[in-house]
Every structure is written in structure tokens, then in C-alpha cells.
Amino acid sequence: MPVPVPHPRTAVLPHQAGPADSGCAENARAAAVGMPAHGGCSGAGPLPRDLPAAELPRPVVDGRTAARPSAGHAPGATTEPVTSATSEAPDAADPSTAAVEPRPEPPAQGLTLLLIGEDPNNHVPEMWDWAGRKVRLRTARNLTEAERLLTDDVHCILLDLTPAEPTGREDRDPPRGDGPVGGPGGRGGDELAALRAVLRMAPAQAVLVLTCETDAERAAEAVRVGAQDYLFRDELDGKVLSRAVRYAVERKRADLAQRQLTESRLRAQENARLERGLLPTPLLDGSELRFAACYRPGRSRALLGGDFYDTVRTPDGTVHAMIGDVCGHGPDEAALGVELRIAWRALTFAGLYGDELLATLQKVLENERSDDEIFATLCTVDISEDGHRAGVCLAGHPAPLLARAGEQPELLPYEFGGPALGLLPEARWPRRQVELGAAWSLLMYTDGLIEGRIGEGTARLGQDGMTELVARQMASGLTGDELLEASVREVRALNGGELTDDVAVLLLDRR
């Protein structure tokens, strides 16, 4: 079919339409007397000027005409763009819209094809999408016009790579390389340069190349460069082109989906490496204490949440342990938790502990938090070099669980604790001395471990339930990592599934 030259706000004549002047003149005359426009501008061919209004052909609707067909088509006639009397009227070449009066297009639109080629009279047959709707066609002579016509509703681009007619000079001195010398329709490397320009210009659209059968090697190379498929001009018909366009669009969608999936996987791997690197490595060289930890972020597909912990041994032989919880469990809270943990480690090695250390951490929190309502709970423990005594500070955090040799586990007193960090500007956090004994286990945890539900009711596990659960696991002989994993697994089972809050558990043993 003849392909028209595109112009903004024009109604383009479809396949094998007759001369445009007489049909559109009748439309203008009918509109002037208040009559509906006939199909003269939508492919009905020329109309007799003395045809009565009652005998005017009916508009094209749903791809079929009314019982009174228009005058005969003019095969091979060259179409020209005709400026619509109302620039906002629907495209008359689109059978999904009626030609009676302008109205909004339906939500479900068919495919739109953009043809790029030097010859505006390229014969492109009619095409149909999956739902039987006619594929809308736009044409551009060059890449400049194509860029202007490339809108979000264009699904596929048909790039004409047919070489121009050779001249004596071209035969004597053919161009070399892939540099953009002449644009579409050139010879040699110019063709693929145009294709690369189209691929850069339209990364989200499917691209088909059109070439002659003798240029099959370059057509295959175009597919390697990035086109979805190629077509031979001599074998082109409406059925082949319709199928090629549909398949190209679906392949492009699949490629984009696969690319997005790959990018998501790569980002997830990078985030996993980053979060794994932010998890603490205990520094206990030279200490007789054994360390174990269990961490379960509340966010799905995350390794790091708002909970944080750390354990280090300072040069004087004191072992310092800390566990905390930033309110919330999103990425911002996770980042703030990492900052507080690193700050705690630096301040601990600098010799701070107890109230002085927590007051400094509160200043860090106040300067780093994104909202004044964000706070953090914290529990710090400093264990003497001989392992018999410990100083405990609580900042709105649950008290640790202490299990001495031969005794049932019990919670340390909570009444001596202070408020959470970030709540009161002049708060104080007293340090309480605790006798540990010769052999003991100290369990530090966040509230995610005790706030899980028990069954389908509203009851929570709580600290008492957690104490009984851990005591039962210890009685069965579990220690270290096995004890923590079994305890968290049972808490999840009681909750009836995954816990919604972050969970961090830290265990220090001395035997």
C-alpha cells in the first residue's frame, strides 16, 4: 500500500485510497451544512460532486463499510496527507474510531508502527493486531522526523535498509565503515549506523529491518546488532508483516522483562554483599568467652534490619557487648543502626563506657536520624577480664537473660534502666554491677524475639515465655548457635509463620 508522508495533526489516507481532494472537499461541504462527513478521507475513493446526501457512503466502522460501498478504489494511487478540518478529530485511517464526529479514543488501542525510509511511497500492506484491529502507520523520511514522531504509543519501528540506486561514483568508490554518512537507505556501513541510531533513540520499542533478498547477510547482521527481526521486501505481504510486527513486539517485551529481572538480581546481589559486609565481626582475640549470634531482618529479601549488635575486647582485657534496636525495620533504620554500631565500637575502643558512652551515642543519633521521632533502644554489657562480673546499662531495652551453672535462667533487673536514646535530651543511664559467677551464659536480644504471637490469639510470647522457652532448650543440652537457632525457630512456630519485626540474639558463654 502507498505510505503517506507524516505531518503533525493530519489524517492519513489508508491503503489504495483514491485522490484526496474530491473526498475531503465533499467532507468540508457536508460539514458546512451540518451533515456528517462521509468516508472520502478514509479510503473510500473519489466521490461524484452531484451525489445526493442520502446516497453518501457510510463511514468505516470496525474495519468494515456500510451496505453502500464507495466509488472504486484507485489501485496504486499515491496518497498524500490531508489536513483535518478539526485537528483533534480521531485518525480516519483507524477503524477503531468512527468518522462521524470527534470523540476520545477507547482505552484499549491497537499497535502503532513507525516506518523510517527515504521513499515515502514505499508499499507497505495493511496490518492487523492480535484483536483484529488495524495497525496504525506513521512514516518518516529520516531520523529527525522519526524522533519527532516517536511517542510512547509507538510499539514497533520498521527501518528500511534497502540500498539506494547505485551511481557510477558509488560503484567506483563504495563507502567504508559504519559511520553515519547518509542515514537510512544508504550503502555499506551507513545502514547499520542508522540502525544503531534508531536503537539508541528507541530503547523500549521493537525494531524490524526491511531489506532486499540479496542483502541477507547485512539483514542478519542487523539482528545481531539489536533488531528483533528482518524482512525481505520482495516477500512482503500483509499477513507476513502483521505476524512479524506482533512477534517483534512480544520479543521486545520479553527482552525488557528479562533485562529488568537481571538488573533486579544484580542489585539484590550487590545489596546482599553490602549488607553482609555491614554485619559485625566480633573482636574477641585472647578472650575465653564463646560468642554466638542469630539475626533475622523483618524485611523480606533483606539481610540487614534496624536491629544491631557488636562485641569487642579492649586492650585491658574487658569484653564489651552491645545490642540495640532502631524503631522501624526499613532500609533507613538499617543504615542508622549500622552508624550507631560503628560509633559504639569506636567510642568503646576510645575508652568510653556506661553513661558517658550512651550520652555520646544519643548525640550521634540526634544528628543522623531523618526524623525527630526516631529513637533507639540499647543494652550494653562490659565483662571484667576474669569473667566474674559485668556492668550493665539499659536504654529502654529489654533486660538480658542470665543462666548460671546449675540454676534456671532468669532476667536481670530492669528497674535501673534509663530511657531510649533520642527521647530525652538530658537523660542519664546508670550502670549496674552484676555478679556472673564462674560459669554462665548471657543472652541479649531485641524485642522482635518476645513480641511474636502465641497461636492464633492476641497473646504475645513476652519475656516470661521466652525465658521458659530458652530454659527448655538449654535443658535439652543445646548451646551456642544451636541454642539460638532452635529458640528462634520455636518462636516462629508459635507465631504461626515469619516474624514481622527484626530479631537479633547474642549469646556469650563462659565455662
Side-chain angles (χ1 to χ4, degrees):
M1 112 176 168
V3 179
V5 180
H7 295 284
R9 299 194 180 278
T10 61
V12 182
L13 296 178
H15 172 54
Q16 292 183 342
D21 53 353
S22 62
C24 287
E26 292 296 329
N27 271 351
R29 191 161 55 212
V33 295
M35 296 173 54
H38 58 68
C41 284
S42 56
L47 296 173
R49 295 184 180 274
D50 57 350
L51 185 64
E55 295 299 322
L56 289 175
R58 302 188 183 186
V60 177
V61 180
D62 298 330
R64 295 176 294 181
T65 57
R68 293 189 299 274
S70 63
H73 293 277
T78 302
T79 62
E80 296 293 340
V82 181
T83 303
S84 173
T86 56
S87 59
E88 297 300 327
D91 189 351
D94 185 1
S96 65
T97 61
V100 176
E101 59 181 4
R103 63 185 181 186
E105 294 181 351
Q109 295 294 336
L111 294 177
T112 300
L113 177 69
L114 175 59
L115 170 64
I116 305 176
E118 286 186 340
D119 184 6
N121 295 320
N122 283 317
H123 288 271
V124 177
E126 291 181 342
M127 297 160 285
W128 308 92
D129 66 5
W130 307 272
R133 294 169 297 195
K134 189 175 180 181
V135 175
R136 291 169 294 182
L137 182 66
R138 300 177 186 175
T139 60
R141 292 176 181 269
N142 50 50
L143 295 180
T144 302
E145 290 186 7
E147 187 173 8
R148 186 176 69 250
L149 295 174
L150 183 62
T151 54
D152 292 338
D153 59 341
V154 173
H155 301 87
C156 185
I157 296 175
L158 181 60
L159 178 63
D160 190 355
L161 294 183
T162 306
E165 290 297 329
T167 63
R169 179 178 178 84
E170 289 173 337
D171 292 339
R172 292 193 304 271
D173 187 18
R176 298 179 180 179
D178 289 338
V181 178
R187 291 175 59 87
D190 297 347
E191 299 165 0
L192 291 187
L195 173 60
R196 292 188 178 95
V198 169
L199 293 174
R200 290 192 299 268
M201 181 176 62
Q205 281 78 19
V207 178
L208 291 171
V209 295
L210 182 64
T211 184
C212 57
E213 190 171 0
T214 57
D215 205 17
E217 183 177 351
R218 185 163 297 278
E221 180 69 9
V223 174
R224 188 193 67 80
V225 169
Q228 271 62 54
D229 204 348
Y230 64 87
L231 298 170
F232 292 136
R233 174 181 294 280
D234 297 338
E235 301 177 357
L236 198 62
D237 59 32
K239 185 176 181 180
V240 171
L241 183 56
S242 297
R243 183 170 62 249
V245 170
R246 295 197 299 265
Y247 288 176
V249 170
E250 289 303 322
R251 280 195 296 270
K252 186 63 176 182
R253 290 173 178 171
D255 291 344
L256 291 176
Q258 182 62 37
R259 183 181 304 172
Q260 292 173 355
L261 179 60
T262 302
E263 292 175 353
S264 297
R265 288 175 176 173
L266 291 176
R267 283 195 300 268
Q269 292 174 0
E270 292 175 357
N271 291 339
R273 288 194 295 268
L274 175 62
E275 293 180 354
R276 194 175 292 112
L278 293 176
L279 290 174
T281 300
L283 301 178
L284 294 175
D285 294 341
S287 174
E288 61 181 2
L289 302 183
R290 296 192 308 173
F291 170 87
C294 181
Y295 196 96
R296 295 287 185 275
R299 291 184 297 145
S300 61
R301 299 182 299 276
L303 297 177
L304 200 63
D307 292 0
F308 54 98
Y309 66 90
D310 204 353
T311 305
V312 298
R313 183 175 184 266
T314 51
D316 61 357
T318 303
V319 173
H320 301 264
M322 173 270 294
I323 193 166
D325 181 7
V326 178
C327 63
H329 48 270
D332 294 336
E333 289 78 9
L336 183 55
V338 171
E339 292 182 72
L340 292 176
R341 180 187 68 79
I342 295 175
W344 175 87
R345 176 175 283 200
L347 294 172
T348 299
F349 279 119
L352 277 68
Y353 64 94
D355 180 76
E356 187 180 8
L357 186 148
L358 291 176
T360 307
L361 282 180
Q362 174 160 281
K363 294 180 181 178
V364 174
L365 171 66
E366 291 172 347
N367 285 278
E368 296 296 333
R369 62 185 176 182
S370 58
D371 192 317
D372 290 342
E373 296 182 357
I374 293 179
F375 62 90
T377 64
L378 199 69
C379 171
T380 65
V381 176
D382 53 275
I383 304 171
S384 62
E385 183 179 6
D386 60 9
H388 289 190
R389 294 171 302 279
V392 181
C393 286
L394 296 177
H397 200 85
L401 181 68
L402 176 63
R404 297 182 179 90
E407 300 180 10
Q408 288 292 320
E410 61 178 0
L411 293 169
L412 294 180
Y414 177 79
E415 293 77 11
F416 63 88
L421 302 181
L423 293 183
L424 300 176
E426 302 297 333
R428 289 292 178 265
W429 298 271
R431 176 177 174 270
R432 178 164 182 169
Q433 192 76 12
V434 178
E435 291 294 330
L436 300 177
W440 48 265
S441 295
L442 185 66
L443 183 73
M444 304 168 67
Y445 54 91
T446 58
D447 57 6
L449 185 67
I450 60 177
E451 290 185 350
R453 298 182 183 276
I454 302 177
E456 299 180 356
T458 59
R460 305 282 181 172
L461 176 63
Q463 289 179 291
D464 292 337
M466 183 267 298
T467 301
E468 296 177 3
L469 184 151
V470 173
R472 186 169 59 255
Q473 299 288 355
M474 287 183 171
S476 65
L478 297 179
T479 59
D481 291 326
E482 293 182 352
L483 172 63
L484 299 186
E485 292 290 344
S487 299
V488 173
R489 185 165 55 249
E490 185 173 349
V491 170
R492 289 169 55 192
L494 292 173
N495 188 61
E498 291 291 340
L499 300 169
T500 57
D501 198 4
D502 305 326
V503 176
V505 189
L506 186 153
L507 181 66
L508 290 172
D509 287 321
R510 183 177 188 272
R511 295 187 177 182

